[in-house]
Amino acid sequence: MSIFSKFDEIRTAFSALTENGRNPFDIRFEKIVSPTEAILDGRRILLFGTNNYLGLTFDQACVEASVNAIREAGTGTTGSRIANGTYSGHTKLEQEIASFYGRRSAMVFTTGYQANLGLISTLAGRGDHLLIDADSHASIYDACKLSSAEIIRFRHNDPNDLARRLRRLEGLPGSRIIVTEGLFSMLGDSAPLREIAAVKRETGAYLIVDEAHSMGVLGKHGRGLAEVAGVEADVDFVVGTFSKSLGAVGGFAVSDLPDFDLLRVVCRPYMFTASLPPAVIASVSAALRRVATDNLLGARVLSNSRRLYNGLAQAGFELGPEPSPIVAVKIGDRELAIKFWNALIDGGVYLNLALPPATPSSQSLIRSSVSAAHTEAQIDRAIAIITDTGYRLGVLNENDTRIAMPAAE
Ligand SMILES: Cc1ncc(COP(=O)(O)O)c(C=O)c1O
């Protein structure tokens, strides 16, 4: 028996996935033209599935800072944060992130995935109780696997269920740690943070909020959902990523707790991996400055999001529960979703195909992420292509409103 035979089922599912079209795990852009356009299969395509919320990947200040950093400090650090991999740029960026969030300390990780993996698995030790939202991102689930704590899932966005599960722990020793996301990555729905914060206060639990999809997007200062909900003081740890609004790669965690920096010598996903290269540190630092000083970017991504959400809702698609930069079209049938996704690319728009088990409630989704860099004309064109394809494939029916297709820009 081959060591790979345990993947036989996955092999079969994967063949079915690619039988009649592209491999969604192997999309290769021949050229990235701008934050909103690329060349794929020799044709220009609109990018509506990149998490490039603020469109900063080609921002001139970020690019210049990055290029200068390579010239000055080289292409990589060739070491971990606790050995030779901390340069003055890493420490400066940590101070900038702490100050952006108005917090005492920040730690920079090599990816957002590692920020969750490291923070959560290290904080939640043997005898502790980790309470995570059932629809949590894979990095949170993987942190649970690495942690020695008791893992308890509460129903998605259900503070009453969370409170009930915490009550069952009454009298038991160990810390209680609640983990939720700000905006959830698949459907773009927001956590009921005010209610969760109230449960946290009543039960004396710690609260971690992953603002991966909300940093730079939500809140007057771009600090995310906790800022909008007015509960920042209740959030003990904010986790985030540099790979979405900040247009690069990397992750971070911030906190006011005085012992937070102890994590630097106990958190293995921080300690035993190479640190971010100087070019990334420099572009993230420039991007963060932009977010801190330009709140028009956040306003633009939100108005663009409403335009896409309202356009698709009006056309008759079933969407996630609220307009947010993540706009997910629900397609009941897996095969239809695969066909739909392929046809959208043929039609000139790239979105993400999201299939179970990576999606909540085993739904098949065509997920888009909106950018501040999208023009209204690009959004209208995407709506028209998606709508037109929806009719052709029978996702929409005759009673739905048809929108005329505007010409390409
Ligand atoms: C909610 C959430 N947390 C963490 C991550 C991991 O971030 P990164 O891709 O930067 O490692 C993601 C990535 O998609 C995410 O959606």
XYZ file of all heavy atoms in Angstrom, residues 63-142:
593
model
N 6.372 50.350 -3.185
C 7.333 49.738 -4.117
C 8.726 50.348 -3.908
O 9.728 49.638 -3.785
C 6.848 49.916 -5.581
C 7.924 49.480 -6.567
C 5.566 49.125 -5.811
N 8.780 51.680 -3.819
C 10.080 52.356 -3.635
C 10.746 51.910 -2.333
O 11.929 51.601 -2.302
C 9.891 53.892 -3.560
C 9.478 54.546 -4.854
C 10.537 54.409 -5.937
O 11.730 54.473 -5.612
O 10.151 54.191 -7.101
N 9.962 51.868 -1.268
C 10.511 51.479 0.040
C 11.075 50.069 -0.033
O 12.155 49.772 0.498
C 9.416 51.568 1.107
N 10.358 49.201 -0.736
C 10.760 47.804 -0.861
C 12.064 47.672 -1.644
O 12.992 46.977 -1.220
C 9.626 47.072 -1.585
O 9.546 45.775 -1.172
N 12.119 48.348 -2.772
C 13.318 48.282 -3.624
C 14.525 48.842 -2.865
O 15.617 48.245 -2.859
C 13.068 49.067 -4.947
C 14.347 49.242 -5.731
C 12.017 48.348 -5.782
N 14.341 49.962 -2.196
C 15.458 50.551 -1.436
C 15.933 49.601 -0.345
O 17.132 49.468 -0.110
C 15.039 51.882 -0.793
C 14.874 52.955 -1.853
O 15.420 52.812 -2.951
N 14.109 53.991 -1.556
N 14.974 48.941 0.309
C 15.346 48.034 1.410
C 16.185 46.865 0.897
O 17.153 46.450 1.541
C 14.092 47.520 2.115
N 15.839 46.339 -0.269
C 16.638 45.243 -0.835
C 18.062 45.738 -1.096
O 19.043 45.072 -0.779
C 16.036 44.715 -2.156
C 14.753 43.953 -1.885
C 17.037 43.820 -2.893
C 14.242 43.134 -3.044
N 18.148 46.933 -1.670
C 19.482 47.470 -1.990
C 20.296 47.645 -0.711
O 21.477 47.352 -0.674
C 19.347 48.822 -2.695
C 18.711 48.717 -4.064
C 19.513 49.473 -5.136
N 19.145 48.988 -6.453
C 18.104 49.427 -7.151
N 17.339 50.375 -6.657
N 17.842 48.910 -8.331
N 19.627 48.120 0.347
C 20.370 48.452 1.563
C 20.633 47.242 2.453
O 21.675 47.153 3.096
C 19.588 49.488 2.383
C 19.739 50.888 1.825
C 18.692 51.833 2.365
O 18.113 51.536 3.429
O 18.453 52.866 1.702
N 19.654 46.293 2.499
C 19.792 45.217 3.508
C 19.775 43.817 2.913
O 19.863 42.836 3.652
C 18.673 45.358 4.545
N 19.644 43.714 1.580
C 19.704 42.397 0.948
C 18.337 41.752 0.802
O 17.310 42.293 1.228
N 18.331 40.581 0.191
C 17.062 39.944 -0.183
C 16.388 39.176 0.956
O 15.200 38.912 0.918
C 17.284 38.976 -1.349
O 18.350 38.096 -0.987
C 17.629 39.701 -2.641
N 17.162 38.758 1.953
C 16.542 37.997 3.050
C 17.352 38.129 4.323
O 18.500 38.613 4.297
N 16.772 37.724 5.434
C 17.495 37.847 6.714
C 18.272 36.568 7.041
O 19.138 36.579 7.892
C 16.534 38.135 7.879
O 15.686 36.992 8.064
C 15.695 39.378 7.634
N 17.909 35.482 6.391
C 18.561 34.172 6.583
C 18.610 33.749 8.059
O 19.559 33.088 8.474
C 19.991 34.139 5.973
O 20.836 35.015 6.714
C 19.991 34.531 4.516
N 17.587 34.109 8.803
C 17.578 33.651 10.194
C 16.287 33.988 10.899
O 15.464 34.768 10.397
N 16.080 33.404 12.055
C 14.826 33.621 12.789
C 14.923 34.869 13.658
O 16.012 35.388 13.916
C 14.499 32.398 13.645
O 15.212 32.477 14.857
N 13.767 35.320 14.111
C 13.701 36.530 14.938
C 14.566 36.423 16.177
O 15.082 37.420 16.670
C 12.237 36.822 15.344
C 11.302 37.220 14.224
C 11.691 38.574 13.616
N 11.852 39.627 14.605
C 10.885 40.399 15.063
N 9.660 40.232 14.610
N 11.116 41.357 15.951
N 14.706 35.195 16.725
C 15.451 35.081 17.983
C 16.944 34.832 17.750
O 17.713 34.714 18.699
C 14.889 33.967 18.893
C 14.863 32.628 18.143
C 13.520 34.337 19.419
C 14.760 31.436 19.078
N 17.352 34.744 16.468
C 18.784 34.580 16.196
C 19.259 35.832 15.455
O 19.279 36.915 16.035
C 19.017 33.307 15.405
N 19.560 35.689 14.174
C 20.089 36.826 13.418
C 19.026 37.532 12.581
O 19.365 38.392 11.771
C 21.210 36.338 12.485
C 20.708 35.244 11.555
O 20.220 34.229 12.021
N 20.792 35.471 10.258
N 17.740 37.192 12.752
C 16.706 37.695 11.831
C 15.943 38.915 12.296
O 14.903 39.236 11.713
N 16.392 39.589 13.343
C 15.724 40.842 13.725
C 16.613 42.008 13.333
O 17.712 42.173 13.866
C 15.416 40.869 15.239
O 14.484 39.823 15.527
C 14.788 42.196 15.645
N 16.132 42.809 12.352
C 16.843 44.028 11.956
C 16.088 45.204 12.574
O 14.963 45.035 13.072
C 16.851 44.183 10.428
C 17.627 43.136 9.655
C 18.245 42.054 10.281
C 17.752 43.247 8.269
C 18.958 41.100 9.546
C 18.462 42.308 7.529
C 19.051 41.230 8.165
O 19.745 40.310 7.429
N 16.671 46.378 12.471
C 15.992 47.528 13.099
C 14.608 47.738 12.465
O 13.671 48.182 13.137
C 16.839 48.791 13.003
O 17.174 49.020 11.665
N 14.447 47.364 11.176
C 13.156 47.521 10.502
C 12.064 46.680 11.152
O 10.908 47.113 11.237
N 12.407 45.484 11.614
C 11.400 44.616 12.248
C 10.897 45.259 13.542
O 9.692 45.293 13.806
C 12.002 43.236 12.564
C 12.384 42.449 11.344
N 13.533 42.679 10.647
C 11.758 41.433 10.710
C 13.604 41.845 9.617
N 12.533 41.072 9.632
N 11.845 45.788 14.320
C 11.459 46.393 15.603
C 10.675 47.688 15.368
O 9.684 47.950 16.055
C 12.739 46.705 16.418
O 13.671 45.671 16.180
C 12.465 46.798 17.873
N 11.109 48.427 14.357
C 10.414 49.690 14.055
C 8.976 49.387 13.609
O 8.028 50.034 14.044
C 11.184 50.429 12.951
C 10.599 51.763 12.574
C 11.561 52.510 11.640
C 10.823 53.431 10.697
N 10.310 52.805 9.481
N 8.821 48.372 12.764
C 7.475 48.023 12.300
C 6.606 47.575 13.486
O 5.422 47.917 13.556
C 7.545 46.920 11.233
C 6.187 46.445 10.689
C 5.384 47.599 10.073
C 6.362 45.327 9.649
N 7.199 46.855 14.422
C 6.414 46.435 15.599
C 5.948 47.653 16.391
O 4.794 47.703 16.856
C 7.254 45.481 16.461
C 7.329 44.109 15.798
C 8.166 43.082 16.534
O 9.050 43.469 17.312
O 7.940 41.885 16.308
N 6.826 48.646 16.501
C 6.404 49.865 17.229
C 5.293 50.577 16.453
O 4.336 51.088 17.034
C 7.594 50.808 17.415
C 8.555 50.320 18.481
C 9.969 50.903 18.324
O 10.246 51.682 17.411
N 10.853 50.493 19.225
N 5.410 50.583 15.126
C 4.389 51.271 14.304
C 3.032 50.569 14.409
O 1.988 51.223 14.479
C 4.850 51.322 12.837
C 5.999 52.297 12.614
C 6.717 52.107 11.278
O 6.422 51.138 10.549
O 7.604 52.919 10.977
N 3.058 49.235 14.429
C 1.785 48.500 14.529
C 1.176 48.718 15.911
O -0.031 48.969 16.040
C 1.993 47.000 14.258
C 2.415 46.804 12.803
C 0.720 46.207 14.526
C 2.880 45.405 12.492
N 2.020 48.652 16.950
C 1.520 48.880 18.315
C 0.893 50.272 18.383
O -0.209 50.447 18.922
C 2.658 48.733 19.314
N 1.553 51.238 17.802
C 1.035 52.605 17.882
C -0.236 52.769 17.031
O -1.182 53.451 17.449
C 2.168 53.560 17.511
O 1.764 54.544 16.652
N -0.309 52.082 15.880
C -1.523 52.113 15.048
C -2.726 51.624 15.861
O -3.823 52.182 15.776
C -1.293 51.223 13.811
C -2.469 51.111 12.890
C -2.761 52.118 11.983
C -3.291 49.980 12.910
C -3.848 52.008 11.119
C -4.374 49.870 12.056
C -4.653 50.890 11.157
N -2.507 50.569 16.651
C -3.613 50.013 17.444
C -3.732 50.664 18.828
O -4.626 50.307 19.590
C -3.431 48.497 17.611
C -3.928 47.739 16.393
C -3.048 47.343 15.398
C -5.279 47.467 16.218
C -3.498 46.681 14.267
C -5.740 46.808 15.090
C -4.846 46.423 14.120
O -5.314 45.779 13.007
N -2.804 51.593 19.142
C -2.818 52.218 20.465
C -2.551 51.196 21.560
O -3.144 51.250 22.649
N -1.664 50.239 21.285
C -1.365 49.157 22.234
C 0.086 49.248 22.690
O 0.918 49.862 22.040
C -1.569 47.791 21.564
C -2.959 47.557 21.043
C -3.907 47.238 22.151
N -5.232 46.940 21.627
C -6.078 46.099 22.215
N -5.757 45.503 23.338
N -7.262 45.894 21.691
N 0.339 48.555 23.765
C 1.662 48.559 24.362
C 2.690 47.817 23.499
O 3.796 48.290 23.294
C 1.488 47.855 25.712
C 2.644 47.817 26.599
C 2.169 47.066 27.845
N 3.285 46.857 28.727
C 3.290 47.188 30.001
N 2.245 47.725 30.559
N 4.355 46.964 30.721
N 2.332 46.634 22.971
C 3.319 45.831 22.225
C 2.716 45.172 20.994
O 1.511 44.912 20.944
C 3.864 44.675 23.067
O 4.017 45.013 24.383
N 3.616 44.879 20.056
C 3.230 44.114 18.861
C 4.331 43.114 18.547
O 5.502 43.372 18.835
C 3.037 45.046 17.673
N 3.937 41.982 18.002
C 4.910 40.997 17.513
C 4.636 40.761 16.042
O 3.484 40.569 15.643
C 4.728 39.652 18.239
C 5.410 39.587 19.593
S 4.912 38.084 20.468
C 5.811 36.813 19.588
N 5.689 40.756 15.231
C 5.540 40.486 13.798
C 5.942 39.041 13.524
O 6.985 38.580 13.984
C 6.400 41.478 12.977
C 6.603 40.985 11.552
C 5.735 42.850 12.959
N 5.083 38.343 12.800
C 5.321 36.941 12.414
C 5.572 36.873 10.906
O 5.269 37.805 10.184
C 4.095 36.076 12.759
C 3.832 35.912 14.232
C 3.269 36.946 14.973
C 4.122 34.718 14.871
C 3.003 36.789 16.333
C 3.856 34.548 16.224
C 3.304 35.586 16.966
N 6.035 35.700 10.461
C 6.382 35.574 9.036
C 5.152 35.424 8.142
O 5.192 35.768 6.961
C 7.395 34.427 8.843
O 8.506 34.720 9.694
C 7.886 34.326 7.431
N 4.046 34.919 8.665
C 2.767 34.915 7.932
C 1.631 35.184 8.926
O 1.820 35.030 10.145
C 2.468 33.554 7.244
O 2.306 32.560 8.266
C 3.556 33.139 6.283
N 0.460 35.506 8.385
C -0.726 35.654 9.235
C -1.109 34.298 9.818
O -1.558 34.199 10.966
N -0.935 33.264 9.019
C -1.216 31.894 9.473
C -0.395 31.595 10.742
O -0.922 31.101 11.736
C -0.860 30.937 8.324
C -0.932 29.466 8.673
C -2.110 28.767 8.530
C 0.203 28.791 9.116
C -2.172 27.415 8.841
C 0.155 27.445 9.420
C -1.034 26.761 9.288
O -1.097 25.427 9.595
N 0.882 31.951 10.694
C 1.742 31.679 11.851
C 1.401 32.557 13.055
O 1.631 32.157 14.191
C 3.207 31.868 11.471
C 3.752 30.688 10.705
C 5.028 31.028 9.972
O 5.010 31.814 9.033
N 6.126 30.465 10.393
N 0.876 33.741 12.792
C 0.478 34.614 13.905
C -0.623 33.935 14.713
O -0.559 33.854 15.947
C 0.010 35.961 13.376
N -1.633 33.389 14.013
C -2.690 32.656 14.721
C -2.148 31.381 15.345
O -2.425 31.079 16.514
C -3.822 32.287 13.757
C -4.904 33.350 13.731
O -5.089 34.091 14.700
N -5.618 33.436 12.629
N -1.404 30.630 14.539
C -0.865 29.360 15.015
C -0.058 29.586 16.306
O -0.240 28.889 17.300
C 0.041 28.777 13.924
C 0.420 27.324 14.048
C -0.793 26.438 13.809
C 1.526 26.968 13.044
N 0.815 30.572 16.256
C 1.730 30.811 17.378
C 1.022 31.390 18.579
O 1.141 30.872 19.702
N 0.270 32.462 18.374
C -0.358 33.149 19.503
C -1.314 32.208 20.240
O -1.238 32.037 21.463
C -1.116 34.390 19.025
C -1.805 35.143 20.151
C -0.805 35.994 20.915
C -2.944 36.017 19.634
N -2.220 31.586 19.465
C -3.285 30.806 20.095
C -2.723 29.543 20.752
O -3.027 29.235 21.907
C -4.382 30.454 19.057
C -5.016 31.748 18.538
C -5.438 29.530 19.650
C -5.926 31.570 17.331
N -1.859 28.822 20.028
C -1.371 27.551 20.585
C -0.478 27.788 21.799
O -0.425 26.972 22.707
C -0.613 26.750 19.527
O 0.606 27.380 19.216
N 0.209 28.912 21.841
C 1.117 29.171 22.966
C 0.337 29.669 24.186
O 0.602 29.251 25.319
C 2.191 30.200 22.560
O 2.744 29.807 21.308
C 3.297 30.282 23.594
N -0.646 30.544 23.937
C -1.424 31.072 25.068
C -2.266 29.976 25.719
O -2.417 29.936 26.941
C -2.369 32.180 24.595
C -1.748 33.540 24.281
C -2.806 34.457 23.690
C -1.132 34.166 25.533
N -2.835 29.114 24.875
C -3.754 28.090 25.404
C -2.978 26.827 25.744
O -2.760 25.970 24.894
C -4.835 27.807 24.361
N -2.550 26.737 26.966
C -1.736 25.594 27.402
C -2.562 24.511 28.065
O -3.803 24.594 28.132
N -1.870 23.507 28.586
C -2.536 22.390 29.260
C -3.419 22.912 30.399
O -2.989 23.779 31.159
C -1.478 21.423 29.806
C -2.011 20.051 30.156
C -0.876 19.075 30.437
N 0.043 18.935 29.308
C -0.215 18.257 28.194
N -1.383 17.660 28.042
N 0.680 18.179 27.223
N -4.653 22.444 30.468
C -5.555 22.855 31.548
C -6.367 24.100 31.205
O -7.302 24.455 31.926
N -6.014 24.781 30.093
C -6.798 25.955 29.666
C -7.938 25.516 28.740
O -7.977 24.370 28.283
C -5.894 26.956 28.934
C -4.866 27.591 29.860
O -5.150 27.686 31.080
O -3.784 27.968 29.386
N -8.848 26.453 28.451
C -10.032 26.133 27.644
C -10.113 27.138 26.489
O -10.226 28.341 26.727
C -11.297 26.208 28.499
C -11.153 25.492 29.801
N -11.396 24.152 29.960
C -10.730 25.939 31.015
C -11.150 23.796 31.202
N -10.742 24.870 31.869
N -10.028 26.604 25.279
C -10.017 27.450 24.096
C -11.387 27.373 23.433
O -11.822 26.293 23.024
C -8.925 26.913 23.165
C -8.447 27.709 21.977
C -8.117 29.142 22.349
C -7.199 27.024 21.397
N -12.065 28.524 23.324
C -13.420 28.536 22.747
C -13.355 29.239 21.402
O -13.094 30.447 21.342
C -14.381 29.241 23.691
C -14.541 28.460 24.999
C -13.849 29.168 26.145
C -16.005 28.243 25.313
N -13.564 28.474 20.325
C -13.433 29.071 18.990
C -14.769 29.027 18.240
O -15.546 28.084 18.395
C -12.335 28.374 18.153
C -12.724 26.940 17.781
C -10.986 28.387 18.873
C -11.918 26.382 16.632
N -14.997 30.046 17.417
C -16.184 30.053 16.546
C -16.080 28.860 15.588
O -15.008 28.569 15.053
C -16.218 31.371 15.749
C -17.482 31.509 14.910
O -17.605 30.804 13.876
O -18.350 32.307 15.295
N -17.189 28.196 15.345
C -17.178 26.986 14.503
C -16.715 27.282 13.074
O -16.165 26.408 12.413
C -18.573 26.371 14.476
N -16.909 28.504 12.588
C -16.509 28.835 11.204
C -15.118 29.458 11.128
O -14.809 30.191 10.196
C -17.530 29.795 10.572
C -18.819 29.079 10.200
O -18.903 27.864 10.418
O -19.744 29.754 9.710
N -14.283 29.158 12.103
C -12.954 29.782 12.137
C -12.082 29.365 10.967
O -12.204 28.264 10.424
C -12.238 29.391 13.437
O -12.818 30.043 14.530
N -11.149 30.236 10.645
C -10.167 29.984 9.579
C -9.269 28.790 9.953
O -9.048 28.498 11.126
C -9.302 31.247 9.409
C -8.349 31.156 8.265
N -7.011 30.877 8.427
C -8.542 31.310 6.932
C -6.419 30.867 7.238
N -7.325 31.129 6.328
N -8.735 28.149 8.912
C -7.877 26.967 9.107
C -6.713 27.237 10.067
O -6.307 26.345 10.822
C -7.340 26.505 7.757
N -6.187 28.452 10.046
C -5.038 28.757 10.924
C -5.448 28.668 12.400
O -4.630 28.325 13.258
C -4.475 30.143 10.612
O -5.486 31.121 10.676
N -6.714 28.971 12.699
C -7.203 28.888 14.083
C -7.412 27.421 14.449
O -7.025 26.968 15.529
C -8.496 29.730 14.241
C -8.159 31.205 13.985
C -9.130 29.526 15.625
C -9.349 32.144 13.902
N -7.979 26.658 13.515
C -8.141 25.215 13.756
C -6.780 24.530 13.929
O -6.611 23.668 14.792
C -8.932 24.562 12.617
C -10.429 24.630 12.869
C -11.227 25.556 12.227
C -11.022 23.773 13.799
C -12.595 25.628 12.491
C -12.384 23.833 14.059
C -13.160 24.768 13.402
O -14.507 24.828 13.683
N -5.808 24.936 13.113
C -4.484 24.303 13.229
C -3.813 24.686 14.549
O -3.086 23.885 15.139
C -3.610 24.676 12.028
C -4.123 24.007 10.753
O -5.103 23.239 10.835
O -3.554 24.254 9.676
